[in-house]
Amino acid sequence: MSFQGSHRGEVDAVKRPYNRETRRFSELPQHLYRWALITIATALTLTFAGALRAQTPALHPSFQVLTHRMDVDVDGAPNAYGPPGKPTLDVLMNAHYLERADQAIVGYLLDDRRHPILQGPHDPFPGYYISQTAFADPANHNERDPRCYVDPRNINYVVRGDDARRRGVKVGDFVAVYSRRSHNAVFAIVGDTGNPTGDEGSLHLLQELGYPFHDGKGDSVTQPEIIIRFYPDSNPRHVFFFTQAALDEAATKLGLTRDFSDVGASSRVH
């Protein structure tokens, strides 16, 4: 038997199923086997592609803005504001809308007579004012509980400006924030409103971006160096976060990114 003939027999044995009754390989047309192999390969390819899509979250729509500055926001902290003489994270003037004395107080709760509501003996800072944020814990309906607001000492948040509101951003939505100075990038949420420019971020946010700030009394990033990437409608269930670790985990599971390498060399952001 020649070498070529030996190989031909091996190939035929692979192509043709064995018939137990005749003790011979069947003589089905070769094109049927090719069709079967192609069908199996196609099915495996589609199965693999489907599994890959299931493991890779779809990209969530987003847009980016370059802030003109970034002031420190401590609203929501239980020690943000209090009666004169108490050590606080901010001055009372900053609790007014646009930080103007003739504007309404938006930084802490008032009663019907426009007097500050004080925290009780079982609250985090008894005797201090109750500072609130626009985003609150939907499971806690007690507006006088300081724990139901986003704590800027522990959570990264930004303030939603008018431009972001017009583009569909809601309080509670996820964002990614990047500093061109420190090259740090972090996840955050839209935690508050009240500043039309949106050029405010929580104390924890600025600290995680690498700025040595300690309170909201005067610290600010005065240059246009912080970029915010908004993910509109990315938190439709209004999930509330008490730790930054939980926030980071949720943003990662959604497939959001804090990669800003595409804007590292350019100052123009749309």
Side-chain angles (χ1 to χ4, degrees):
M1 180 182 293
S2 68
F3 181 78
Q4 182 177 0
S6 174
H7 263 278
R8 184 185 302 276
E10 291 176 5
V11 173
D12 288 345
V14 173
K15 289 183 178 179
R16 297 178 291 162
Y18 188 74
N19 190 314
R20 292 181 180 274
E21 296 181 358
T22 62
R23 296 184 180 181
R24 298 181 61 186
F25 289 100
S26 63
E27 299 296 334
L28 292 178
Q30 185 174 350
H31 74 275
L32 291 180
Y33 294 106
R34 291 179 179 174
W35 176 85
L37 290 174
I38 293 173
T39 301
I40 293 172
T42 302
L44 290 174
T45 301
L46 292 175
T47 301
F48 177 76
L52 186 61
R53 284 195 298 270
Q55 296 175 8
T56 306
L59 293 178
H60 196 288
S62 65
F63 66 90
Q64 297 177 170
V65 297
L66 175 64
T67 60
H68 298 88
R69 58 182 293 129
M70 181 68 79
D71 296 327
V72 178
D73 191 347
V74 295
D75 286 359
N79 60 334
Y81 306 102
K86 285 187 176 293
T88 59
L89 291 177
D90 212 341
V91 296
L92 293 177
M93 179 63 67
N94 289 343
H96 289 258
Y97 180 65
L98 299 179
E99 301 178 4
R100 291 174 47 183
D102 60 339
Q103 296 292 321
I105 292 176
V106 295
Y108 53 84
L109 288 178
L110 303 174
D111 61 21
D112 295 337
R113 295 180 295 175
R114 310 299 296 171
H115 294 160
I117 298 174
L118 302 181
Q119 297 181 43
H122 301 294
D123 290 327
F125 282 83
Y128 279 69
Y129 302 161
I130 301 173
S131 179
Q132 75 269 38
T133 54
F135 186 50
D137 182 3
N140 188 344
H141 302 289
N142 180 11
E143 69 171 6
R144 296 194 177 196
D145 184 353
R147 303 170 189 84
C148 77
Y149 302 107
V150 187
D151 192 336
R153 304 170 305 168
N154 304 316
I155 298 292
N156 297 338
Y157 78 68
V158 299
V159 173
R160 184 190 66 181
D162 289 347
D163 180 59
R165 174 182 54 79
R166 286 190 293 265
R167 299 175 73 168
V169 174
K170 302 177 180 63
V171 292
D173 280 345
F174 289 96
V175 300
V177 189
Y178 172 72
S179 167
R180 283 205 180 98
R181 181 190 301 184
S182 66
H183 304 293
N184 291 346
V186 299
F187 285 124
I189 58 170
V190 179
D192 208 1
T193 59
N195 185 336
T197 68
D199 292 347
E200 288 187 58
S202 68
L203 177 62
H204 193 269
L205 170 69
L206 273 301
Q207 290 173 338
E208 280 218 319
L209 288 176
Y211 297 93
F213 300 156
H214 303 288
D215 54 43
K217 296 180 179 180
D219 290 329
S220 297
V221 178
T222 58
Q223 300 298 318
E225 60 192 52
I226 294 182
I227 300 170
I228 304 175
R229 177 185 296 135
F230 290 93
Y231 293 98
D233 201 29
S234 53
N235 189 8
R237 295 173 53 204
H238 304 289
V239 177
F240 191 82
F241 302 99
F242 295 95
T243 67
Q244 185 62 37
L247 191 161
D248 292 341
E249 181 180 3
T252 301
K253 285 183 177 180
L254 283 175
L256 309 184
T257 178
R258 52 186 175 183
D259 179 9
F260 284 84
S261 58
D262 58 330
V263 297
S266 172
S267 61
R268 187 175 181 181
V269 183
H270 301 282

